[in-house]
Amino acid sequence: MKMNKSLDQKIGFSLIFSMMLITLFFLGSLVYFIAVRGAGIISWQFLTDVPREAMTKGGVAPAIVGTFYLMLGSVLVALPLGVACAIYLCEYSPKKTIVNLIRISINNLAGVPSVVFGLFGLAVFVKFFGFGVSILSGCLTLGIMVLPNIISASQEALIAVPQSHREASLALGATQWQTIKKVVLPGSLPGILTGVILSIGRVAGETAPILFTAGTFYMRGFPKSPLSETMVLPYHIYALMTEGVHPEFQVKIAYGCAFILLILVLLVSSFAIILRQQQRSRYGI
Amino acid sequence: MESELKIRLETVNFFYGKQQALKDISFEVYKNKVTAVIGPSGCGKSTLIRLFNRMNELIPNTRLEGKIRLDRQNIYEPQVDVVELRRRVGMVFQKPNPFPKSIFENVSYGLAVNGIKDRDYLAEKVERSLKDAALWKEVSGRLYKSALALSGGQQQRLCIARALAVEPEVILFDEPCSALDPTATLKIEELIQRLKEKYTIIIVTHNMQQAARISDQTAFLMLGELIEYDLTNKIFTSPSKKITEDYITGRFG
């Protein structure tokens, strides 16, 4: 028997639509619960003060500042390295077999659990280079962790630049390097920024890599230099939920931290999103 | 009028890997003339025209035999600077490919990459090039708007203006009208007719009427071989080979 075509289409659409609703529901409820449980504790003091009385009073300002430093620092580490690597792989490297080998290794690197990066950071940056448990070590570790994401996103973005634009540039007497600088990179910037946005979210949320490289769960002041250790929101949440003897206060603070973490990621990402939008409209992509 | 020699191909063979795309091609292109390259799809027209600015080198695993001389200099000799060659031999592509930048940036691109920064000179050159490409009147009020907002035909004339700005000696057109409507095509054809006063032009086209209308010399290519090369008039009225006649009368192709 032949099925009615338009009925078939309606069923298809409704299925897809309900899946979308379910997804939206989970996302919405996540934000809702974190906001309901966390927003109540947010106050000026909570945002600007250091923790007091064994993490039961005061604020979480050092953790906010620390998380911000790590997001910024790790992007500063990963962006130049990742983009350069992607450019080499897409635009310069002569041998396809080597490129594929490198690509496979990079993709595998993306699948390595973050705690492994933490141990690597401990061994290399904290111990070998002697940076100690510090913001610097944390940024380098997190930067290397998100490097594969930045490279993949950049590669996708570079490949998406039409070959005809490269040809047009070369045909006008531009060198390959000028072509990359003036045509290929501007055209791929929105895609690269998407990679950055995703990486920022990942960096902000990871606990394991900074456990041994940058984080401390209690500080009386703010980090003073790139070589000082720092509080960070995800680790602080973890500490609040697993340590200490006043869960009645600590759990509330933990939700407050989670809420701030969400907002912080949103703020930093929206900066990148605005930048991406500007690029897109400027170049009419 | 005595024609001056501009480009000369000497038994050129070209390979994509093991596949031979061009076989023993020799002919001469004259200064300030329009030379058309016609032939059925896949005959090697585009491959041939992309030899003149060494564009085929971007494709890995290709090999060239023979010599291509531009003003007597073999352009495939190691000491030839390919960047400078491409400035001298401009190219307009099949699909209009303006950069996703402003109209001004598009036209001044070739000058900018050649190190010219003088703003007044750039502005003057951009205006001159757009006028030469018969686009100035349509875009003079929106030079700083995105080039992608232009119509297909305007985009192609922009690409011509962009090529003109670097003052090439030769301009290669690779089926420049295949993505355009008849009105836009007519404009480009008129333009090419005028451009030959200053430039040497080589145009690939699958449109025989177009070749007949605008070119002085025509090369007929088939399966990578040069079947016939002569004055356009001669090719289209009394070709010396039967197969040429069959092709131009539309019996195949």
Side-chain angles (χ1 to χ4, degrees):
Chain A
M1 205 183 90
K2 250 200 339 197
M3 189 159 165
N4 185 327
K5 265 166 48 182
S6 75
L7 181 67
D8 184 35
Q9 162 153 309
K10 268 182 195 148
I11 295 173
F13 277 157
S14 350
L15 265 175
I16 288 168
F17 186 66
S18 41
M19 299 283 180
M20 191 273 292
L21 280 185
I22 293 170
T23 313
L24 215 59
F25 169 75
F26 281 125
L27 279 176
S29 53
L30 181 131
V31 174
Y32 176 76
F33 276 110
I34 297 292
V36 162
R37 299 198 177 187
I41 198 167
I42 310 285
S43 65
W44 185 245
Q45 193 202 11
F46 191 75
L47 292 174
T48 54
D49 201 3
V50 296
R52 294 183 195 283
E53 295 177 37
M55 296 192 292
T56 58
K57 295 237 169 63
V60 294
I64 298 175
V65 171
T67 301
F68 183 72
Y69 283 158
L70 284 181
M71 287 198 275
L72 214 65
S74 53
V75 168
L76 283 181
V77 170
L79 194 62
L81 286 176
V83 172
C85 182
I87 289 176
Y88 176 77
L89 290 176
C90 288
E91 309 288 327
Y92 277 113
S93 68
K95 287 247 164 65
K96 280 281 165 276
T97 45
I98 295 176
V99 173
N100 284 335
L101 211 68
I102 298 176
R103 257 181 212 163
I104 291 167
S105 333
I106 290 168
N107 288 339
N108 279 327
L109 212 57
V112 171
S114 55
V115 68
V116 176
F117 283 102
L119 286 174
F120 167 79
L122 176 67
V124 175
F125 301 124
V126 178
K127 300 283 182 206
F128 184 74
F129 285 116
F131 297 148
V133 174
S134 64
I135 294 177
L136 181 63
S137 297
C139 289
L140 290 167
T141 308
L142 287 168
I144 288 179
M145 182 188 76
V146 294
L147 205 47
N149 305 39
I150 302 258
I151 294 173
S152 316
S154 306
Q155 276 190 317
E156 295 297 322
L158 291 169
I159 290 167
V161 174
Q163 189 60 25
S164 66
H165 289 173
R166 294 184 180 85
E167 289 189 344
S169 170
L170 294 171
L172 287 165
T175 61
Q176 197 179 359
W177 178 230
Q178 286 174 323
T179 302
I180 290 170
K181 274 193 299 188
K182 293 178 143 262
V183 175
V184 179
L185 267 185
S188 57
L189 210 52
I192 293 174
L193 285 173
T194 304
V196 170
I197 293 167
L198 293 173
S199 303
I200 288 172
R202 229 191 125 195
V203 164
E206 283 289 352
T207 317
I210 46 174
L211 217 52
F212 331 116
T213 57
T216 175
F217 68 89
Y218 187 69
M219 263 178 107
R220 287 172 172 280
F222 291 91
K224 293 197 174 47
S225 84
L227 286 175
S228 40
E229 56 183 5
T230 181
M231 281 177 74
V232 265
L233 287 167
Y235 185 28
H236 193 52
I237 295 171
Y238 174 76
L240 285 164
M241 298 300 282
T242 55
E243 287 164 44
V245 287
H246 302 286
E248 69 276 14
F249 299 112
Q250 290 174 210
V251 171
K252 275 189 199 152
I253 297 179
Y255 275 103
C257 287
F259 185 58
I260 291 172
L261 189 55
L262 278 183
I263 304 233
L264 198 59
V265 170
L266 202 69
L267 278 180
V268 177
S269 299
S270 52
F271 173 71
I273 290 171
I274 289 167
L275 206 67
R276 179 174 70 181
Q277 214 46 50
Q278 273 180 351
Q279 283 291 324
R280 277 196 181 143
S281 48
R282 179 164 163 223
Y283 290 103
I285 306 167
Chain B
M1 191 180 94
E2 193 59 28
S3 305
E4 196 183 324
L5 184 64
K6 187 68 187 172
I7 298 176
R8 182 191 173 100
L9 288 88
E10 296 170 8
T11 47
V12 167
N13 287 287
F14 188 79
F15 303 84
Y16 291 110
K18 289 204 168 70
Q19 169 118 25
Q20 186 161 10
L22 296 172
K23 290 172 199 154
D24 284 336
I25 296 198
S26 303
F27 69 93
E28 290 165 349
V29 174
Y30 302 104
K31 201 174 172 184
N32 299 108
K33 299 279 178 202
V34 177
T35 303
V37 182
I38 61 168
S41 300
C43 69
K45 304 186 291 280
S46 288
T47 303
L48 177 67
I49 199 175
R50 290 165 68 98
L51 288 177
F52 300 128
N53 61 348
R54 290 176 54 173
M55 227 39 187
N56 282 333
E57 286 180 2
L58 302 180
I59 305 163
N61 268 325
T62 54
R63 188 161 57 85
L64 176 90
E65 287 169 4
K67 290 185 178 127
I68 298 173
R69 296 186 186 279
L70 174 69
D71 292 338
R72 296 202 182 80
Q73 160 86 59
N74 180 5
I75 59 170
Y76 280 84
E77 264 167 32
Q79 73 266 26
V80 171
D81 178 4
V82 66
V83 171
E84 171 60 14
L85 171 74
R86 287 178 184 148
R87 199 212 39 83
R88 290 175 62 196
V89 183
M91 188 164 208
V92 176
F93 296 82
Q94 192 167 353
K95 258 181 69 189
N97 57 355
F99 301 122
K101 298 175 186 285
S102 73
I103 292 168
F104 186 92
E105 284 174 296
N106 263 281
V107 182
S108 61
Y109 183 88
L111 298 166
V113 297
N114 282 300
I116 294 166
K117 292 199 179 81
D118 185 338
R119 297 191 68 84
D120 293 338
Y121 179 76
L122 284 177
E124 188 190 310
K125 201 71 203 164
V126 166
E127 181 176 342
R128 184 75 258 150
S129 308
L130 284 168
K131 278 179 177 162
D132 284 348
L135 190 62
W136 176 252
K137 278 184 197 148
E138 291 154 70
V139 302
S140 59
R142 48 171 168 156
L143 288 179
Y144 299 97
K145 297 268 160 59
S146 172
L148 300 185
L150 299 174
S151 74
Q154 289 174 325
Q155 287 189 7
Q156 196 62 305
R157 275 178 283 145
L158 178 69
C159 293
I160 294 173
R162 186 173 67 180
L164 296 181
V166 295
E167 299 177 0
E169 296 156 36
V170 181
I171 308 177
L172 311 169
F173 287 86
D174 188 0
E175 300 197 28
C177 303
S178 61
L180 304 182
D181 64 48
T183 321
T185 300
L186 188 67
K187 279 198 178 145
I188 304 269
E189 288 185 6
E190 287 170 359
L191 184 56
I192 290 173
Q193 286 288 295
R194 274 194 287 114
L195 290 176
K196 76 170 178 181
E197 289 165 20
K198 280 203 228 164
Y199 309 91
T200 303
I201 289 168
I202 305 175
I203 178 170
V204 161
T205 176
H206 62 254
N207 179 336
M208 280 167 290
Q209 287 75 30
Q210 183 168 65
R213 279 194 298 264
I214 65 173
S215 71
D216 304 296
Q217 304 274 135
T218 296
F220 173 50
L221 230 63
M222 219 175 88
L223 297 171
E225 287 182 68
L226 183 65
I227 307 293
E228 196 166 344
Y229 178 64
D230 216 323
L231 291 169
T232 300
N233 226 339
K234 170 96 174 17
I235 292 259
F236 281 90
T237 51
S238 54
S240 55
K241 296 219 170 92
K242 174 84 169 58
I243 194 162
T244 312
E245 188 180 343
D246 286 350
Y247 181 71
I248 59 169
T249 52
R251 235 164 278 178
F252 74 97

